Amino acid sequence: MTKTIKVTEEFSDRLTNRNQLQGDGKKNAEDFRKKYLSFLDSPDEWVKTAIEENSPAIIFDFSEVKKIGPSFANEAFAYFTKYEGATPKAIMLRISFINISIVQKEIIEIELESGYSGYSK
């Protein structure tokens, strides 16, 4: 069964910090990715995705999310583009979004197309 996460209730309504070094460092994309998407952090997971086009593994409900920044989207979602087979299309097959604005979805899609930029400490 696909799990649905109500982002505002379970995490935050402002998705802006890439990591603990950005902004106030709280509720950052690294923590988000590790909490909700760690099961995708394996090359094997993306080989499987290329073979099977299943229903999404997780759904994020963006109801009442006020903001998502590009650096958050890059660290939380584009991070997976480092794996062979983790194309933007494959990522969007595994991770689904509901109640998301056009602008919020576009920010995520642009970051997926750009690929993971990482950060330096």
Side-chain angles (χ1 to χ4, degrees):
M1 181 175 195
T2 304
K3 185 173 183 174
T4 299
I5 304 296
K6 293 185 177 189
V7 176
T8 299
E9 290 176 19
E10 296 186 38
F11 194 76
S12 179
D13 65 346
R14 296 182 55 79
L15 310 176
T16 56
N17 298 332
R18 174 183 286 277
N19 57 34
Q20 70 280 0
L21 302 175
Q22 190 176 28
D24 65 4
K26 298 177 182 175
K27 302 294 183 182
N28 64 68
E30 274 186 349
D31 293 343
F32 181 91
R33 187 184 73 240
K34 289 174 184 174
K35 183 173 184 177
Y36 301 112
L37 299 170
S38 62
F39 68 95
L40 295 174
D41 199 359
S42 161
D44 295 338
E45 189 63 34
W46 296 102
V47 170
K48 184 172 87 175
T49 298
I51 296 167
E52 309 169 359
E53 289 194 6
N54 295 326
S55 62
I58 193 163
I59 299 169
F60 290 110
D61 183 344
F62 266 51
S63 296
E64 300 180 39
V65 169
K66 293 182 174 107
K67 181 176 184 179
I68 183 168
S71 62
F72 187 99
N74 188 270
E75 188 66 42
F77 307 114
Y79 170 87
F80 300 106
T81 62
K82 68 183 188 173
Y83 295 121
E84 187 175 341
T87 63
K89 180 182 176 185
I91 292 168
M92 293 302 278
L93 286 171
R94 299 302 313 265
I95 303 169
S96 184
F97 301 90
I98 58 173
N99 301 314
I100 188 169
S101 75
I102 294 168
V103 172
Q104 291 168 337
K105 188 171 183 187
E106 189 170 293
I107 288 169
I108 293 168
E109 290 172 345
I110 288 169
E111 292 304 315
L112 290 175
E113 290 295 329
S114 298
Y116 182 56
S117 63
Y119 65 93
S120 58
K121 290 185 178 183

